[in-house]
Amino acid sequence: MKKSAAPEDNKVAFDQYYKLQNVLKQYKKIERSNKWKPIVPAETPYKDLRPDAVSNTIAQIRTRLYILGDLKQDSKSDVYDRELMDAVMKYKVRNGFKPNYILAEEHIKEMNIPISDKMETLKLNMERCRTIATEMNNADEYVLVNVPSYELVYVKNGKVVLRSNVFVGSPLTKTTIFNGEIDRIVFSPYWTVPQSIVQNELKSKIAADPNYLADHNMEMVNGQVRQKPGPENSLGLVKFMFPNPDDIYMHDTPAKTLFDFEKRTFSHGCINVKMAKELATAMLKDYPEWTQDKIDKAMAGKTENSFKLTKKVPIYITYFTSLVNENGEIGFFQDVYEKDQEAVSQSVVSN
């Protein structure tokens, strides 16, 4: 990887750069301490560990979480006690895992990633900070969606107003990484089904069942299949539009159970927002005519209702596999589109 200019010579507008830099310093100290030892499970094959379990594996996990700062002290105990439960929950939440107390083999594998690899990930994401538009730091309002952590953050006047889980495009239909501007909120939207989906998924179903369109609240308009507004509409009750050549947007979804998965790559490229209704409400705070009652009625409508924002809201769709949250806690996330691997391969070739 090419050496970057020193921060004092080329100051980065996105302050996440300096937060990651501080974590990198901490990880260098851990590396020098030589305390980062592989966790070797005591049982083979590995069995999930749950509260009250007794195992030498527990003692090793306890030490790791102490080194990482999730535990304030290392009692060396091999019992999965209350103290460790709290530390495991803290570890899981900051790293984007499902928030429960089960320690599965995938969690041990993540803990066993060499600290040198973790440091390379931090450096890589520091470089990504340089590509964030400087306008974001000056914006009094913006939406940031980070694909690897499957999370949306809505910021206004320097404060996080809302956080929401999202699911994004599959590896075959990746969500595009770019900056844009949200200019419209559409309530009770129609969903015009892309021709690729009609050809690959719906054509055979419609041929096999004459009532398929009606049963799925769909209709044929000018040769195109579209789904009528309603709670079962694939776009849910509201969508957020930001012009872009890939025709992706954010929207609600009736498939709420998909947000329970840790790896959330289910869409054809659009961003599905768990708290879409809450996001719409928050974004319309400065529009007095949009009372909660009016928003509720617009979402329950049988016809599409599009509102053009008088002030466009910047949106940043990013790809950070490590980020520091507002509590100063580092999170490492899955390289879902293998962009880290690509960057490392390119670095090896260029060197």
Side-chain angles (χ1 to χ4, degrees):
M1 192 175 291
K2 294 179 182 178
K3 190 175 180 182
S4 307
E8 57 266 29
D9 299 325
N10 185 18
K11 187 168 175 62
V12 182
F14 190 36
D15 64 355
Q16 184 69 212
Y17 178 98
Y18 302 101
K19 294 177 181 179
L20 291 168
Q21 188 179 57
N22 288 333
V23 174
L24 180 60
K25 290 175 183 176
Q26 295 168 19
Y27 275 53
K28 284 179 178 177
K29 287 182 181 178
I30 294 172
E31 185 183 45
R32 288 195 298 269
S33 73
N34 205 30
K35 292 180 180 177
W36 192 276
K37 307 292 185 185
I39 296 170
V40 181
E43 300 83 16
T44 304
Y46 181 88
K47 292 181 180 179
D48 290 352
L49 294 167
R50 289 174 165 80
D52 297 327
V54 179
S55 169
N56 175 257
T57 311
I58 293 293
Q60 296 178 70
I61 291 169
R62 187 185 298 277
T63 297
R64 176 57 47 81
L65 295 184
Y66 168 68
I67 291 170
L68 290 172
D70 296 306
L71 265 174
K72 291 184 178 180
Q73 61 182 6
D74 183 3
S75 67
K76 310 292 185 184
S77 171
D78 59 3
V79 179
Y80 193 165
D81 55 16
R82 179 78 246 181
E83 183 181 47
L84 187 61
M85 286 168 64
D86 293 341
V88 166
M89 184 63 74
K90 186 176 179 182
Y91 168 83
K92 282 194 165 191
V93 169
R94 68 180 174 84
N95 287 297
F97 288 114
K98 198 169 182 177
N100 59 36
Y101 298 118
I102 299 171
L103 284 165
E105 192 169 17
E106 64 176 313
H107 304 124
I108 306 303
K109 286 181 179 178
E110 203 283 332
M111 290 181 191
N112 273 341
I113 293 173
I115 195 162
S116 57
D117 289 4
K118 294 278 191 183
M119 289 162 63
E120 285 303 312
T121 299
L122 291 168
K123 291 175 187 175
L124 182 58
N125 286 281
M126 285 170 65
E127 290 307 305
R128 287 182 176 138
C129 291
R130 296 183 184 278
T131 66
I132 293 290
T134 55
E135 292 84 3
M136 193 178 85
N137 266 16
N138 300 321
D140 56 7
E141 180 182 20
Y142 63 86
V143 171
L144 188 147
V145 177
N146 187 47
V147 169
S149 57
Y150 310 111
E151 186 177 49
L152 173 151
V153 181
Y154 173 51
V155 176
K156 191 166 185 180
N157 299 323
K159 295 182 179 178
V160 174
V161 175
L162 179 140
R163 284 185 181 277
S164 176
N165 286 342
V166 301
F167 63 81
V168 296
S170 72
L172 291 177
T173 54
K174 297 181 178 72
T175 296
T176 310
I177 309 303
F178 74 105
N179 305 334
E181 289 184 316
I182 300 171
D183 63 357
R184 277 180 297 145
I185 298 178
V186 182
F187 299 101
S188 299
Y190 282 99
W191 178 44
T192 300
V193 186
Q195 279 303 112
S196 60
I197 297 177
V198 173
Q199 290 295 326
N200 299 331
E201 300 176 30
L202 297 187
K203 196 173 182 180
S204 60
K205 294 177 181 178
I206 294 170
D209 181 3
N211 296 318
Y212 183 87
L213 290 179
D215 290 345
H216 290 82
N217 202 31
M218 292 179 174
E219 60 187 0
M220 189 76 74
V221 179
N222 298 325
Q224 288 187 305
V225 177
R226 74 175 186 180
Q227 192 174 30
K228 299 175 187 178
E232 297 307 311
N233 185 289
S234 293
L235 305 185
L237 305 178
V238 61
K239 68 177 179 178
F240 305 82
M241 304 298 291
F242 36 95
N244 63 87
D246 296 301
D247 195 29
I248 70 166
Y249 43 89
M250 296 193 306
H251 61 84
D252 182 28
T253 176
K256 302 296 186 186
T257 56
L258 294 180
F259 294 107
D260 294 334
F261 288 81
E262 284 183 352
K263 187 174 182 179
R264 298 194 291 275
T265 52
F266 302 114
S267 82
H268 290 83
C270 287
I271 299 159
N272 292 243
V273 183
K274 184 176 184 180
M275 298 177 67
K277 178 180 179 179
E278 291 84 350
L279 178 61
T281 300
M283 289 180 65
L284 292 171
K285 284 288 185 186
D286 292 338
Y287 298 84
E289 69 273 26
W290 281 97
T291 62
Q292 189 61 60
D293 184 57
K294 183 176 179 179
I295 291 171
D296 291 342
K297 287 180 179 177
M299 287 188 180
K302 292 186 178 180
T303 57
E304 190 171 274
N305 185 345
S306 181
F307 177 65
K308 187 173 182 178
L309 299 173
T310 55
K311 181 185 176 185
K312 297 176 183 178
V313 178
I315 179 168
Y316 301 87
I317 303 174
T318 63
Y319 195 91
F320 287 100
T321 48
S322 62
L323 278 176
V324 178
N325 64 22
E326 57 264 36
N327 298 320
E329 300 166 341
I330 185 65
F332 290 91
F333 311 110
Q334 294 177 3
D335 183 16
V336 288
Y337 295 160
E338 298 184 347
K339 289 182 178 289
D340 283 13
Q341 289 186 34
E342 290 173 17
V344 171
S345 298
Q346 290 170 5
S347 175
V348 170
V349 171
S350 65
N351 290 333

